[in-house]
C-alpha cells in the first residue's frame, strides 16, 4: 500500500467518525480562519473566540492586517510577539503572492 492509499484510508475513516465536522473557531472570511487557527496554537479556541471579534473589527480587511505592524496586534493574554510577527508576514504573503486568497485544500 503506497502513501496515497494510506492517506485516503485515513481520510475515509475520519469522514466516517466525524460525518458533520464543525469548526469551533468563529470567523467570516477565509483569512480570518487562518488567523484564528494561528492564534489558537497556544491557547483555547474559546479564548481565541473572545479576542478575535475586536481584532477583526480593528483590521476589517486583509490589507489592513498586512499594513499593520506586529505591535499593532496587541491582544490581552495571547499577546505573543513571535505569533504576531508570523501573522504580519502571512497576511502580507497572502496579499502580495497569493492574490488575497487562502489556498484551498479539499479531501
Amino acid at each position: 500500500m503506497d502513501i496515497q492509499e494510506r492517506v485516503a484510508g485515513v481520510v475515509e475513516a475520519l469522514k466516517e467518525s466525524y460525518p458533520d465536522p464543525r469548526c469551533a473557531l468563529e470567523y467570516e472570511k477565509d483569512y480570518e480562519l487562518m488567523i484564528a487557527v494561528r492564534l489558537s496554537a497556544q491557547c483555547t479556541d474559546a479564548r481565541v473566540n473572545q479576542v478575535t471579534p475586536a481584532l477583526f473589527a480593528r483590521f476589517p480587511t486583509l490589507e489592513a492586517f498586512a499594513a499593520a505592524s506586529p505591535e499593532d496586534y496587541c491582544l490581552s493574554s495571547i499577546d505573543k510577539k513571535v505569533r504576531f510577527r508570523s501573522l504580519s508576514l502571512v497576511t502580507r504573503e497572502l496579499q502580495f503572492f497569493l492574490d488575497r486568497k487562502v489556498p484551498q485544500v479539499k479531501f
Side-chain angles (χ1 to χ4, degrees):
M1 179 181 298
D2 72 355
I3 189 75
Q4 287 182 333
E5 292 171 331
R6 290 172 53 197
V7 168
V10 169
V11 169
E12 281 307 309
L14 288 170
K15 284 181 179 180
E16 288 176 19
S17 296
Y18 304 97
D20 191 25
R22 300 272 180 212
C23 179
L25 297 170
E26 297 168 3
Y27 67 97
E28 292 180 15
K29 302 168 188 156
D30 56 357
Y31 69 85
E32 290 179 351
L33 175 59
M34 180 199 65
I35 289 167
V37 167
R38 285 176 172 257
L39 292 175
S40 72
Q42 293 184 4
C43 65
T44 66
D45 291 349
R47 182 67 185 140
V48 171
N49 287 337
Q50 288 175 350
V51 299
T52 52
L55 181 68
F56 297 152
R58 185 169 181 192
F59 305 101
T61 65
L62 180 60
E63 292 76 15
F65 268 103
S69 69
E71 293 77 24
D72 294 333
Y73 297 139
C74 282
L75 292 174
S76 59
S77 68
I78 59 172
D79 187 5
K80 307 283 188 203
K81 258 192 174 175
V82 171
R83 187 172 306 129
F84 290 110
R85 201 170 299 130
S86 170
L87 283 182
S88 183
L89 291 172
V90 76
T91 55
R92 288 181 184 137
E93 287 175 4
L94 280 174
Q95 182 179 4
F96 296 112
F97 300 115
L98 296 172
D99 195 28
R100 296 174 174 80
K101 302 268 191 274
V102 175
Q104 301 294 310
V105 177
K106 303 269 185 199
F107 290 103

